[in-house]
DNA sequence: GAGCGTTTAAGTCAATATGACCTTTAGGGG
DNA sequence: CCCCTAAAGGTCATATTGACTTAAACGCTC
């Protein structure tokens, strides 16, 4: 960490953090996990959980650690993928902090608890955030928007929607995931046909689940395919 | 940059770089721009162009600057998007260096010239790299693989393929982009039908281009739509 | 300027997928 | 047993696809 800097006086070291956009579905609503900041800057303001990447961990490991420390969630059960890096020089008043945002999706998760530098952690319905433009700390609203867009697009052509369900699930459950995320109703019958015709998307477990009332539903688990072909295209623009 | 570190001795500052995976199509081949490193580590080895993010620039600005400095390319003419962050602690022998990879796509670009810490810059056919596993510096082969996958997927449902064409182009040109990137032939007639039926994908300029021999072709420019609906699904799995 | 090769443009058609419905099945509870 | 409910499984007109064929518009050559 020495000679390669000589001709480049404008370079300086940065702090690298990870931030997590953790989503789940609760009461037919898409929820994101927020913390109330317990430290300056933005003390008391809502923010995405996150923290500094440590010396000898990968970015992903850092994300998993923060998941555990700040949200009390075991990362093994949920889907975690990188969203991108956010490095505007003005994004953090303390100086140059580049954050790597991660997207985490899981089935109805336990009520979170606060962590080290979070006063408390809670699930916030996504619909309100974007409408009311609640003042999230840093550029976390932008990260959240990007995360949402990514999810909406990605459930079309990958099996990532299954990450919101438990180990096994009914097709109605899976359909509800799509409905909640896209904010539109889908025809149950047509959804079933598409889901079952998309090879490797879901796999019957052989077991059934008995709803409070009505005919029992077959249970499925995620199939072997990650990329869906054909994809489940949303709404009107699905003429392909 | 002070108090927030106290309880976290494992944190250290990092260097942040940007690396560029710049693609173009030349002679019906997908090419990526590589440099021969002029500095240690990996001196003399091929690598993606890139460099340190400077004090007061955004990540994107850093990418644009490196594009200019290392490859002699004006970023205004090409498509630039972030691919993701790579931060394995072992990825750089000098220490903790987190790099943010950018994907750049452009029409047949001028022969590049070497820059500051690049001995020379050249276009390398992508097909050879992956086959022969030429020893790229750092984790640049992984970045390149991710970039390729991203392109192959993204031309399905966005208009990004037009970034490989000039301001105006024929449908044959556009089809060739898909053929080169996917490595499979497409039916010209069906491709035309799909491209023209996908609203906002391409827009006729009214002008025509006269090939060396054969019927003149209509010229098109990019339409207003970025997301394609319906998408142009590749190959066999397009039953949606 | 008729014929030829070549490339773009446009049309045909059977097979398939889609979207909007409707019907049947399998429970639970009164 | 009958009714209510949710899942599962049709039906059918319409739209899209993939594989092919046909027509149009050039430059060239003779």
């Amino acid at each position: 960490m020495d000679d390669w800097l000589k001709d480049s006086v404008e370079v300086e070291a940065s702090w690298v953090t990870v931030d997590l956009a953790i989503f789940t579905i609760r009461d037919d609503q898409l929820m994101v996990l927020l913390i109330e900041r317990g430290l300056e800057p933005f003390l008391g303001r809502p923010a995405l959980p996150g923290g500094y990447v440590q010396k000898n961990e990968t970015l992903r490991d850092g994300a998993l650690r923060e998941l555990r420390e700040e949200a009390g969630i075991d990362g093994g059960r949920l889907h975690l993928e990188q969203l991108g890096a956010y490095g505007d020089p003005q994004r953090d008043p303390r100086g140059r902090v580049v954050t790597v945002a991660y997207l985490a999706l899981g089935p109805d998760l336990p009520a979170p608890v606060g962590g080290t530098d979070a006063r408390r952690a809670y699930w916030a319905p996504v619909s309100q955030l974007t409408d009311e433009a609640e003042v999230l700390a840093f550029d976390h609203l932008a990260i959240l928007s990007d995360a949402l867009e990514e999810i909406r697009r990605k459930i079309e052509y990958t099996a990532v929607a299954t990450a919101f369900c438990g180990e096994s699930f009914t097709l109605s459950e899976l359909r509800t995931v799509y409905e909640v995320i896209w904010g539109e109703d889908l025809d149950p019958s047509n959804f079933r046909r598409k889901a079952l015709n998309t090879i490797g998307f879901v796999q019957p477990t052989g077991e059934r689940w008995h709803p409070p009332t009505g005919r029992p539903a077959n249970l499925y688990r995620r199939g072997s395919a990650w990329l869906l072909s054909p994809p489940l295209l949303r709404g009107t623009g699905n003429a392909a």
Side-chain angles (χ1 to χ4, degrees), chain A residues 123-136:
Chain A
W123 291 110
V126 165
S127 52
Q128 287 177 28
L129 290 176
T130 42
D131 291 351
E132 307 174 18
E134 188 177 358
V135 246
L136 291 175

Side-chain angles (χ1 to χ4, degrees), chain A residues 34 72 75 85-86 160 163 166 175 188 214:
Chain A
L34 296 182
Y86 294 77
V160 78
R175 176 170 46 82

Side-chain angles (χ1 to χ4, degrees), chain A residues 57-220:
Chain A
E57 67 187 357
T58 63
L59 298 174
R60 186 185 175 83
D61 286 343
L64 286 168
R65 181 179 47 73
E66 292 293 340
L67 201 57
R68 200 176 341 105
E69 289 181 8
E70 292 232 341
I73 294 173
D74 171 29
R77 290 186 49 225
L78 43 72
H79 172 79
L80 185 69
E81 72 177 73
Q82 195 191 110
L83 197 63
Y86 294 77
D88 189 287
Q90 314 298 328
R91 68 175 291 280
D92 192 314
R94 293 167 297 192
R96 180 63 127 155
V97 180
V98 172
T99 198
V100 179
Y102 274 82
L103 180 62
L105 312 178
D108 196 350
L109 296 161
V113 292
T116 45
D117 46 77
R119 259 196 208 141
R120 63 192 190 94
Y122 59 97
W123 291 110
V126 165
S127 52
Q128 287 177 28
L129 290 176
T130 42
D131 291 351
E132 307 174 18
E134 188 177 358
V135 246
L136 291 175
F138 305 106
D139 51 1
H140 287 185
L141 184 61
I143 294 175
L144 203 50
S145 299
D146 291 348
L148 263 176
E149 202 182 305
E150 177 79 0
I151 295 177
R152 293 211 175 103
R153 234 172 12 87
K154 212 150 193 174
I155 60 174
E156 287 194 326
Y157 57 92
T158 74
V160 78
T162 57
F164 286 102
C165 302
E167 180 66 27
S168 67
F169 48 86
T170 68
L171 289 185
S172 295
E173 267 183 89
L174 185 60
R175 176 170 46 82
T176 301
V177 171
Y178 280 89
E179 290 176 332
V180 166
I181 292 175
W182 284 342
E184 63 184 67
D185 285 349
L186 302 177
D187 183 287
S189 188
N190 293 338
F191 179 83
R192 165 188 311 281
R193 182 177 55 192
K194 281 227 68 169
L196 295 178
N197 281 346
T198 300
I199 50 173
F201 186 18
V202 295
Q203 199 175 24
T205 65
E207 304 196 319
R208 295 199 299 172
W209 177 77
H210 290 254
T213 174
R215 177 173 177 172
N218 293 333
L219 284 172
Y220 297 84

